Amino acid sequence: MAGKTLQNINLRNIRIHDASWDRYINLVEDVILPFEWKLINDLVPGAEKSYCMQNFRIAAGQETGAHRGMVFQDTDVAKWLEAVGYSLSKKSNARLEAIADEAIDLIAAAQCEDGYLNTYYTIRGEARWKDLFEGHELYTAGHMIEAAAAYYQATGKRKLLDVVCRFADYICTVFGPEEGKLHAYPGHPEIELALIKLYRLTGNAKYLDLAAYFIQIRGEQPCYFSSEENYRNGTFIFPEFKDFTFDYCQADRPLMEQDKAEGHAVRAVYLYSAMADLAFEQEDEKLLEHCRALWENIVQRQMYITGSIGSASYGERFTTDYDLPNSTNYSESCATIGLAMFSNRMFQGTRDGQYMDTVEQALYNTLLAGIALDGQHYFYVNPLELVPEIAENNPTMRHIMTERQQWFGVACCPPNITRTLASIGNYMIAAEGDTCYVNLYLACDVQAPLQSGTLSFTLEADYPASGTIMLCITEAIGASQTLAVRIPAYSRDSYRIRINGKDFLQEPHKGYAYLSREWRVGDQIQLELSVSFRFVYCNPRVRDNLGRVCIMRGPQVYCFEEADNGSYLAACRIDTSQPIREAHSDDLPGGILCAIVEGDKAVYRSDMGALYSGQKPEREPVTLRGVPYSRWNNRGRGEMQVWMRDKYG
Amino acid sequence: MAGKTLQNINLRNIRIHDASWDRYINLVEDVILPFEWKLINDLVPGAEKSYCMQNFRIAAGQETGAHRGMVFQDTDVAKWLEAVGYSLSKKSNARLEAIADEAIDLIAAAQCEDGYLNTYYTIRGEARWKDLFEGHELYTAGHMIEAAAAYYQATGKRKLLDVVCRFADYICTVFGPEEGKLHAYPGHPEIELALIKLYRLTGNAKYLDLAAYFIQIRGEQPCYFSSEENYRNGTFIFPEFKDFTFDYCQADRPLMEQDKAEGHAVRAVYLYSAMADLAFEQEDEKLLEHCRALWENIVQRQMYITGSIGSASYGERFTTDYDLPNSTNYSESCATIGLAMFSNRMFQGTRDGQYMDTVEQALYNTLLAGIALDGQHYFYVNPLELVPEIAENNPTMRHIMTERQQWFGVACCPPNITRTLASIGNYMIAAEGDTCYVNLYLACDVQAPLQSGTLSFTLEADYPASGTIMLCITEAIGASQTLAVRIPAYSRDSYRIRINGKDFLQEPHKGYAYLSREWRVGDQIQLELSVSFRFVYCNPRVRDNLGRVCIMRGPQVYCFEEADNGSYLAACRIDTSQPIREAHSDDLPGGILCAIVEGDKAVYRSDMGALYSGQKPEREPVTLRGVPYSRWNNRGRGEMQVWMRDKYG
């Protein structure tokens, strides 16, 4: 494997000015973070109460009362702070920073003498670490560590970092291989990747060691969680957990014996992210190979075309290979984010562009579909097919919301989306030695601190509306440096790179064109990707997509909505022998490029009394209009369908 | 409407000797009833404990201990006794009768002084009638009444009938419109149809009045069940009930305002059956019309082609019009039985053959699919599409069993199937004045006690393998009498009736050919129905069946199994431009008529790494073999599919 020299560049060094993404990213600072602050302070009329900050005040002794909300309610504050950190990295904002400092003061005040920090357990006075299966203590700790890292990187302020280091130090005294310590690991992974992040920031190897230990012993049999049953005594924080087997949390077998992604999808990809981090840090080829097998299992057998995962609502989990139902799936926004995290780490460990293809697929489709264009409404669950009347009346789909919701009682997704939007730079650019990887094509200005000196460039693009991406060097040191430009798989057979007007013909390596030279200010690189509309078909093992076709444009998946095509989308078929035409629409803010296709539709007549007859339904021609899946459900409640029947399917 | 003169004829007067049905019906007496007796006495090693008879012994003071099993555990004994009654009607069996008498003695001993009879409430000492929403007291009473009626009609013994009359008399003192009585009704309907049955047997009009009262006040708002909330105090016998709204038990609106079948499917059709009975007894045209509307809503919008109902597992319920998913449905065996009961009663109220078409559809498909050819394994849930690997790994389908089970903790279906098989005669023949309705074509000898005298005949048939049905008069009085012979809708355009070799050409009326004459011994009626294989298509509003086709033969739905066609049935398409050929197979006891069709199948190659690509899967020709749905899953675990993709769909 490649050595552990690749790294993200500081978010401060990436200034995004992308017309399409700025719509969301600017919302983070302007709308979402202030709004979320109000939410976690219970200041939004009509929204479900969060109790987050109230819990911290009670734990800090500033108020009295009971803990309210979920066992992991603290993580909403942590994810908010993490997003604030990323946002401040991008642009300073004194007011936001002042609020965040205030929150951090409160968090510090809520920390116990010994470093422990968790309002649920502190307020309720319940014994710590007795219910690792459900208690989310280490999960919550992990999110707080991630927040501290982001805030420190943005502001240089150590207060929260010191808090989480004390907490992590304490955790290191509780867990570990030594006698007298708990030989245990969390039900919900997250602490592992957080500890590795903390190790990278502080250089304190014990954090890396503990992360490695958590991963190493996970799933040893008999499963640790069985030993907690006496404590739980038949009662459960989450009643449904009583029916869950330990594969739910990837603990039914040692991790190295798990060859398929299994269980709760978010847990799985958070865990695999940490495994990839560990393989990178320890240059552990075998572990990396195992991560690759898990990643391939996901992407080649268990991932929706929208980059989402989790085929079942019950358990919010992976099910089995090629089981990808379009209307009963869970496809949690958080799981897509976790898949992007895992894939990004796999790129870091391998410098292989296929992983960033998946990052792009996840971010350009399900991540953006998770948030409304107003920035204040979110999807938890992301079906690929929705008939509102059925979703509202058939309880098999009771997890499906037919419109985005403002906030949820269990609020993992909205702040997770926020922190991902705020840190999108971490997926865009990476640096290693004198090579700068350009992974995503958001318009931006980049200062890449390479080994021999800073290479700065401006990236101009209206991607994926246009496949033309222009890089212009704005700062260079004259030494030979490399721009590794990702060629997405969909354009692998048809792309063009010109440097200062001259074709660059060298074959890409693992999805990257490596452009090396002594760059000069003003040098121009033009990358032409083929983003035209295309029909995409599914592996025939996926039963639900047999005879169906999907339309894509670049990384964007398209879908069909009732707003454009009327209801009973299922009765429509696309004529795949005819080309997909392009049309512009101003229906949505920023406009959308629509896909226009010809097809037909089974005719229903109101005099059809019987359900079943010997008469095949007649068909009539229709013209259908598709819109990007990322923009669906911005025009009210209605049907939506990604995989359409193929007239020739 | 037609007057209330039509009635079933006593089961004693129908002797079935049908090669195909006898396989199941003989099992009832020879295998199932003795086996069930062992089950309810906990004498079957390896089967889930039932505790049924033990509960009665405890309630009778013959043993001590706690009540075990469900709140409605007594109904297993009741349904067993009811089936014993039907079986004894058919053929005397001293040993079986002695066992039943013993059970009845025990039941009588468990009855309280005031007539109350319910082991759950008696043993636990809990207050009666406080939790009508969940407690199933009236439901259990109803099944005991049905048992008593069947046993009395078979044996003339009054002991159990007296027990249930005392119980019913007591119930009449508890419920009713009078001041001081409970103005309430059961969460699970059943008592209503049982009380009407008891009224018919005893002539005691107060039973009819109470049934009418239960129906009349059902769903009045505010809903009665809301008033029980203080008693329940947030606790539930069935935890999932806390999330159920009152439409679950058809109590969200007055019944006459409910224009669609809604809620728990079994509850619904038991209730509608009682409504149809009441309309019949009271000659209530408006109520009958309402029943017709509900029936049409089911059959024209919410019924599977296999005659099953209940599109969702959660709530085991109806969902919404045209929502008929094939693999996540519930389609409980009991609900199909209830639909047959409701439809049979609608025939009784209207003399319209369409209702018996549905009875036939339900009995010949889902009822028989509910029981294995060995008579000892049962399906609760009857999907139309099964991929075992997915059903076992995707918890959305955790209610699906991939093979029939021996017995269940909640054992409503097996004894319900048993009692239905034992009383199939009640669906076959009905009499009114001098007309004898012949509804189902099981080979049998019938003595029909008509107004002017007995008309007896032998029915010979190998239906539906053959469409030839021969009736031969064996006893006649010389007066003009009518045989009303049902012409199933599928054969309406192509059938032939000959009486003593001469064509009978009169048009049928509402699905019946009325053959009137002074019958003589030896008269022969030959009915030729067109039972050849046919393609059936679904109303295009049913999204899951668009582009799909089903194969039927007479009333039988066919399906495709992995045993004949390999796995990945979903990848197959049928070429509907080619004829369906017929083939005989000895794979299963009794042999089966198979459907042979040509088609093609999407090719999977193991080198297909990616889930998604621009390449449409190739197809290769295949020949497919279908078998009757009623016989599926008798050759081990494997895929099954009813609705197959149509090559031209």
Side-chain angles (χ1 to χ4, degrees):
Chain A
M1 70 186 282
K4 54 176 183 171
T5 49
L6 183 133
Q7 53 190 359
N8 290 333
I9 70 173
N10 193 306
L11 291 176
R12 292 168 168 281
N13 295 342
I14 304 169
R15 201 177 63 79
I16 297 165
H17 46 79
D18 184 272
S20 176
W21 280 82
D22 274 353
R23 183 173 313 284
Y24 299 98
I25 294 171
N26 291 341
L27 279 171
V28 173
E29 186 184 338
D30 301 340
V31 178
I32 305 175
L33 289 176
F35 176 74
E36 286 186 6
W37 175 248
K38 281 189 202 159
L39 278 167
I40 60 181
N41 281 281
D42 301 321
L43 299 172
V44 179
E48 274 187 60
K49 286 252 189 190
S50 136
Y51 307 107
C52 282
M53 298 310 289
Q54 178 181 308
N55 288 334
F56 277 101
R57 286 194 299 276
I58 296 169
Q62 300 174 3
E63 283 183 22
T64 55
H67 182 276
R68 304 288 292 275
M70 306 297 283
V71 66
F72 46 73
Q73 204 73 1
D74 293 357
T75 59
D76 278 8
V77 181
K79 285 187 216 161
W80 177 80
L81 267 174
E82 186 184 350
V84 168
Y86 299 139
S87 182
L88 294 177
S89 281
K90 208 164 53 79
K91 197 172 102 194
S92 53
N93 178 330
R95 200 171 154 274
L96 190 60
E97 191 169 329
I99 294 173
D101 286 338
E102 183 192 312
I104 289 168
D105 288 343
L106 180 60
I107 290 167
Q111 185 167 36
C112 300
E113 275 302 305
D114 58 5
Y116 185 78
L117 175 60
N118 183 308
T119 69
Y120 179 91
Y121 283 88
T122 303
I123 296 174
R124 293 165 65 106
E126 286 184 23
R128 303 170 186 170
W129 321 119
K130 292 289 188 189
D131 186 3
L132 294 170
F133 183 47
E134 296 182 288
H136 286 74
E137 286 166 283
L138 291 167
Y139 168 83
T140 304
H143 275 300
M144 203 56 81
I145 291 170
E146 288 207 274
Y151 199 74
Y152 170 72
Q153 287 183 305
T155 63
K157 293 181 180 172
R158 293 196 57 96
K159 183 160 189 175
L160 189 58
L161 186 63
D162 290 340
V163 164
V164 300
C165 283
R166 276 182 64 212
F167 191 8
D169 292 344
Y170 164 68
I171 290 170
C172 288
T173 68
V174 175
F175 295 89
E178 298 84 2
E179 206 174 329
K181 291 188 180 179
L182 278 176
H183 305 159
Y185 50 89
H188 197 317
E190 156 67 23
I191 186 77
E192 300 86 347
L193 68 87
L195 284 172
I196 297 173
K197 206 175 252 194
L198 195 60
Y199 154 71
R200 286 174 179 166
L201 207 60
T202 64
N204 189 337
K206 70 178 175 181
Y207 302 145
L208 180 66
D209 293 343
L210 184 57
Y213 179 69
F214 282 144
I215 288 168
Q216 181 197 325
I217 65 160
R218 188 174 197 93
E220 279 182 0
Q221 295 304 303
C223 178
Y224 177 79
F225 301 132
S226 309
S227 72
E228 294 182 323
E229 279 163 17
N230 282 339
Y231 177 75
R232 273 198 300 275
N233 194 22
T235 63
F236 286 82
I237 298 174
F238 302 95
E240 65 274 26
F241 273 50
K242 80 171 162 36
D243 297 322
F244 289 171
T245 44
F246 296 133
D247 62 325
Y248 169 76
C249 48
Q250 301 81 39
D252 57 326
R253 282 166 298 163
L255 277 178
M256 293 301 282
E257 292 174 22
Q258 295 177 25
D259 52 359
K260 292 181 179 186
E262 68 177 29
H264 186 260
V266 174
R267 288 167 201 243
V269 286
Y270 279 24
L271 176 63
Y272 306 155
S273 294
M275 285 162 65
D277 276 341
L278 187 65
F280 181 88
E281 290 300 336
Q282 298 188 331
E283 299 187 350
D284 182 338
E285 196 65 56
K286 195 174 151 212
L287 183 57
L288 186 72
E289 194 48 50
H290 191 64
C291 290
R292 186 202 310 273
L294 288 168
W295 185 89
E296 283 183 356
N297 174 260
I298 294 174
V299 171
Q300 297 183 1
R301 304 196 170 193
Q302 301 203 71
M303 183 186 74
Y304 288 90
I305 196 165
T306 50
S308 72
I309 49 177
S311 297
S313 157
Y314 185 85
E316 306 169 354
R317 60 176 293 155
F318 291 109
T319 58
T320 189
D321 290 354
Y322 303 117
D323 178 36
L324 294 164
N326 291 305
S327 63
T328 59
N329 54 319
Y330 204 69
S331 290
E332 185 177 344
S333 296
C334 286
T336 285
I337 290 166
L339 177 61
M341 286 161 44
F342 178 33
S343 302
N344 196 27
R345 284 160 168 84
M346 289 305 295
F347 152 74
Q348 289 163 354
T350 61
R351 288 69 158 171
D352 188 333
Q354 68 169 325
Y355 300 106
M356 295 313 299
D357 288 347
T358 296
V359 168
E360 189 176 50
Q361 195 172 0
L363 300 183
Y364 275 80
N365 296 294
T366 299
L367 177 79
L368 292 186
I371 181 170
L373 287 170
D374 69 7
Q376 291 181 59
H377 294 84
Y378 305 88
F379 275 136
Y380 239 63
V381 168
N382 296 280
L384 278 75
E385 198 168 308
L386 174 70
V387 177
E389 196 209 335
I390 291 180
E392 287 160 2
N393 286 290
N394 185 331
T396 306
M397 276 155 272
R398 63 195 184 281
H399 59 290
I400 307 273
M401 297 286 176
T402 56
E403 295 196 73
R404 290 181 188 83
Q405 305 293 303
Q406 198 174 45
W407 197 254
F408 298 86
V410 177
C412 57
C413 296
N416 214 347
I417 293 171
T418 310
R419 70 169 182 151
T420 304
L421 287 170
S423 64
I424 193 85
N426 284 338
Y427 298 93
M428 290 165 59
I429 307 288
E432 175 174 38
D434 267 321
T435 301
C436 177
Y437 286 88
V438 184
N439 280 319
L440 299 181
Y441 297 116
L442 283 69
C444 59
D445 299 332
V446 176
Q447 279 187 299
L450 301 185
Q451 192 168 35
S452 56
T454 298
L455 178 66
S456 299
F457 57 90
T458 293
L459 189 159
E460 296 294 341
D462 182 23
Y463 178 84
S466 154
T468 302
I469 292 133
M470 293 291 301
L471 282 84
C472 182
I473 305 297
T474 53
E475 183 185 2
I477 50 145
S480 175
Q481 294 179 318
T482 303
L483 280 165
V485 173
R486 186 174 65 92
I487 313 298
Y490 68 78
S491 189
R492 199 68 43 88
D493 299 329
S494 165
Y495 71 96
R496 188 175 187 188
I497 296 173
R498 276 178 290 187
I499 302 176
N500 296 329
K502 284 187 198 151
D503 279 326
F504 174 85
L505 297 171
Q506 205 175 303
E507 277 296 297
H509 176 66
K510 287 188 180 174
Y512 288 93
Y514 284 86
L515 319 180
S516 301
R517 63 165 59 193
E518 290 177 15
W519 296 103
R520 288 163 196 280
V521 172
D523 278 351
Q524 291 217 328
I525 301 147
Q526 184 177 346
L527 169 62
E528 289 284 350
L529 298 176
S530 168
V531 292
S532 54
F533 280 116
R534 64 190 190 279
F535 289 119
V536 178
Y537 302 91
C538 193
N539 187 306
R541 293 265 125 141
V542 180
R543 293 172 173 85
D544 296 271
N545 295 338
L546 277 155
R548 298 213 195 185
V549 63
C550 170
I551 290 176
M552 291 189 73
R553 192 173 188 291
Q556 280 189 320
V557 171
Y558 272 62
C559 68
F560 292 80
E561 286 199 273
E562 184 173 342
D564 299 307
N565 306 290
S567 61
Y568 290 94
L569 295 170
C572 300
R573 303 190 306 184
I574 291 179
D575 183 345
T576 48
S577 73
Q578 295 194 47
I580 307 165
R581 286 172 292 129
E582 197 169 296
H584 192 272
S585 156
D586 288 319
D587 259 19
L588 290 173
I592 30 175
L593 259 182
C594 298
I596 309 291
V597 288
E598 300 304 320
D600 61 21
K601 186 169 184 174
V603 179
Y604 168 78
R605 293 189 324 272
S606 55
D607 64 350
M608 284 176 172
L611 267 179
Y612 309 108
S613 83
Q615 282 306 108
K616 199 180 287 202
E618 289 165 21
R619 312 192 65 82
E620 64 186 10
V622 287
T623 300
L624 299 165
R625 189 165 89 144
V627 298
Y629 177 78
S630 59
R631 301 294 196 276
W632 86 280
N633 203 271
N634 276 291
R635 291 172 291 173
R637 174 184 176 279
E639 285 189 24
M640 181 277 293
Q641 189 168 325
V642 168
W643 288 99
M644 299 292 283
R645 291 171 58 223
D646 176 0
K647 185 174 174 182
Y648 307 103
Chain B
M1 70 187 280
K4 54 176 182 171
T5 49
L6 184 134
Q7 54 191 1
N8 290 333
I9 70 173
N10 194 304
L11 290 176
R12 291 169 172 281
N13 296 342
I14 304 170
R15 201 177 63 79
I16 298 165
H17 47 79
D18 186 271
S20 176
W21 280 83
D22 274 353
R23 186 174 310 284
Y24 299 98
I25 294 170
N26 291 341
L27 279 170
V28 173
E29 186 184 338
D30 301 340
V31 177
I32 305 175
L33 289 176
F35 176 74
E36 286 187 5
W37 175 247
K38 282 189 203 159
L39 279 166
I40 60 181
N41 280 281
D42 301 321
L43 299 172
V44 179
E48 274 187 61
K49 286 252 189 187
S50 136
Y51 306 107
C52 282
M53 298 310 291
Q54 179 181 308
N55 288 334
F56 277 101
R57 285 193 300 274
I58 296 169
Q62 301 174 1
E63 282 183 23
T64 55
H67 181 276
R68 304 288 291 275
M70 307 296 284
V71 66
F72 46 73
Q73 204 73 2
D74 294 355
T75 58
D76 279 7
V77 181
K79 284 187 217 162
W80 178 79
L81 267 175
E82 186 184 349
V84 168
Y86 298 139
S87 183
L88 294 178
S89 283
K90 207 163 54 77
K91 197 170 104 195
S92 54
N93 180 329
R95 199 170 157 276
L96 190 59
E97 192 170 328
I99 294 173
D101 285 338
E102 182 192 313
I104 289 167
D105 288 343
L106 179 60
I107 290 168
Q111 186 168 33
C112 299
E113 275 302 305
D114 58 4
Y116 185 78
L117 175 60
N118 184 307
T119 70
Y120 179 90
Y121 283 88
T122 303
I123 297 174
R124 294 165 64 108
E126 286 184 21
R128 303 171 186 169
W129 321 120
K130 292 290 189 189
D131 186 2
L132 294 170
F133 183 47
E134 296 182 287
H136 286 74
E137 286 166 283
L138 291 167
Y139 168 83
T140 303
H143 274 300
M144 203 56 81
I145 291 170
E146 289 207 274
Y151 199 72
Y152 170 72
Q153 287 182 304
T155 63
K157 293 182 182 170
R158 292 196 57 98
K159 183 159 189 176
L160 189 58
L161 186 63
D162 290 341
V163 165
V164 301
C165 283
R166 276 183 63 211
F167 192 8
D169 292 344
Y170 164 68
I171 291 171
C172 287
T173 69
V174 175
F175 295 89
E178 297 84 3
E179 208 172 328
K181 291 188 179 179
L182 278 176
H183 305 160
Y185 50 89
H188 197 317
E190 156 67 21
I191 186 76
E192 300 85 349
L193 68 88
L195 284 172
I196 297 174
K197 206 175 252 194
L198 195 60
Y199 154 71
R200 287 174 177 167
L201 207 59
T202 62
N204 190 337
K206 70 178 177 182
Y207 302 146
L208 180 65
D209 292 344
L210 184 59
Y213 179 69
F214 282 146
I215 288 168
Q216 181 197 325
I217 64 161
R218 190 174 195 92
E220 279 182 0
Q221 296 305 301
C223 179
Y224 177 80
F225 301 132
S226 310
S227 72
E228 295 182 323
E229 279 163 16
N230 282 339
Y231 176 76
R232 274 199 298 275
N233 194 21
T235 64
F236 286 82
I237 299 174
F238 302 96
E240 65 274 26
F241 273 49
K242 79 172 164 36
D243 297 323
F244 288 170
T245 45
F246 296 135
D247 62 325
Y248 169 74
C249 47
Q250 301 81 38
D252 57 326
R253 282 166 297 163
L255 278 179
M256 293 300 284
E257 291 174 22
Q258 295 178 26
D259 52 359
K260 292 180 179 187
E262 68 179 29
H264 186 261
V266 174
R267 289 167 199 245
V269 285
Y270 279 23
L271 177 62
Y272 305 157
S273 294
M275 287 162 64
D277 277 340
L278 187 64
F280 181 86
E281 291 299 335
Q282 300 188 330
E283 299 187 348
D284 182 337
E285 194 66 56
K286 195 172 153 214
L287 182 57
L288 185 73
E289 194 47 51
H290 192 64
C291 289
R292 187 203 308 275
L294 288 167
W295 186 88
E296 283 183 357
N297 174 259
I298 294 174
V299 171
Q300 298 184 0
R301 303 197 170 193
Q302 301 204 70
M303 183 186 75
Y304 288 91
I305 196 165
T306 50
S308 71
I309 48 177
S311 297
S313 157
Y314 184 85
E316 305 169 355
R317 61 176 291 153
F318 290 109
T319 57
T320 189
D321 289 354
Y322 303 117
D323 178 36
L324 294 165
N326 290 306
S327 62
T328 59
N329 55 319
Y330 204 67
S331 290
E332 186 178 342
S333 297
C334 286
T336 284
I337 291 167
L339 177 60
M341 286 161 44
F342 177 34
S343 301
N344 197 27
R345 285 160 168 83
M346 289 305 294
F347 151 73
Q348 289 163 354
T350 61
R351 289 68 157 172
D352 188 333
Q354 67 170 326
Y355 298 108
M356 294 313 299
D357 288 348
T358 296
V359 168
E360 188 176 51
Q361 196 172 1
L363 299 184
Y364 275 80
N365 296 294
T366 299
L367 177 79
L368 292 187
I371 182 169
L373 287 171
D374 69 7
Q376 292 182 61
H377 295 84
Y378 305 87
F379 275 136
Y380 240 62
V381 168
N382 296 280
L384 278 75
E385 200 169 308
L386 173 71
V387 177
E389 196 209 335
I390 291 179
E392 287 160 1
N393 287 289
N394 185 330
T396 305
M397 275 154 272
R398 64 194 184 280
H399 59 291
I400 306 273
M401 297 285 175
T402 56
E403 295 196 72
R404 290 182 187 83
Q405 306 292 301
Q406 198 173 45
W407 197 255
F408 299 87
V410 178
C412 56
C413 296
N416 215 347
I417 293 171
T418 310
R419 69 167 182 151
T420 304
L421 287 169
S423 63
I424 194 86
N426 284 338
Y427 298 94
M428 290 165 60
I429 307 289
E432 175 173 38
D434 268 321
T435 300
C436 177
Y437 285 89
V438 184
N439 280 318
L440 299 181
Y441 296 115
L442 284 68
C444 60
D445 299 331
V446 176
Q447 279 186 296
L450 301 185
Q451 193 168 34
S452 54
T454 298
L455 179 67
S456 299
F457 58 89
T458 293
L459 190 161
E460 295 295 341
D462 183 24
Y463 178 84
S466 154
T468 301
I469 293 136
M470 293 293 299
L471 281 84
C472 182
I473 305 297
T474 54
E475 182 186 3
I477 49 143
S480 176
Q481 294 179 318
T482 302
L483 280 164
V485 173
R486 186 174 65 91
I487 313 298
Y490 68 79
S491 189
R492 199 66 45 86
D493 298 330
S494 164
Y495 72 96
R496 188 177 188 186
I497 296 174
R498 275 181 289 187
I499 302 176
N500 296 329
K502 286 188 198 150
D503 279 323
F504 174 84
L505 297 171
Q506 203 174 306
E507 278 295 298
H509 176 67
K510 286 188 181 175
Y512 288 93
Y514 284 86
L515 319 181
S516 302
R517 64 165 61 192
E518 289 175 17
W519 295 105
R520 290 164 195 279
V521 171
D523 278 350
Q524 290 217 328
I525 301 148
Q526 184 177 345
L527 170 62
E528 288 284 350
L529 298 176
S530 168
V531 292
S532 54
F533 280 116
R534 64 191 190 277
F535 288 119
V536 178
Y537 302 92
C538 193
N539 187 306
R541 292 265 126 140
V542 179
R543 293 171 172 85
D544 296 88
N545 295 338
L546 277 155
R548 298 214 196 184
V549 64
C550 171
I551 289 176
M552 290 188 74
R553 191 173 189 291
Q556 281 189 319
V557 170
Y558 272 62
C559 69
F560 292 81
E561 287 200 272
E562 185 173 341
D564 299 306
N565 306 291
S567 61
Y568 290 95
L569 296 170
C572 300
R573 303 189 305 184
I574 290 178
D575 182 346
T576 49
S577 73
Q578 296 194 46
I580 308 165
R581 287 173 290 129
E582 197 169 293
H584 191 272
S585 156
D586 288 319
D587 260 19
L588 290 173
I592 31 175
L593 261 182
C594 299
I596 310 291
V597 288
E598 301 304 321
D600 61 19
K601 185 169 184 175
V603 179
Y604 169 78
R605 294 190 322 273
S606 55
D607 65 349
M608 283 177 174
L611 267 179
Y612 309 107
S613 83
Q615 282 305 110
K616 198 180 290 203
E618 289 165 22
R619 313 193 65 82
E620 63 187 11
V622 286
T623 300
L624 299 167
R625 189 165 89 143
V627 297
Y629 178 78
S630 58
R631 301 293 197 277
W632 86 280
N633 203 271
N634 276 291
R635 292 173 292 174
R637 174 184 176 278
E639 287 189 23
M640 182 278 292
Q641 190 168 326
V642 168
W643 287 98
M644 299 291 285
R645 291 171 57 222
D646 175 359
K647 184 174 175 183
Y648 307 103

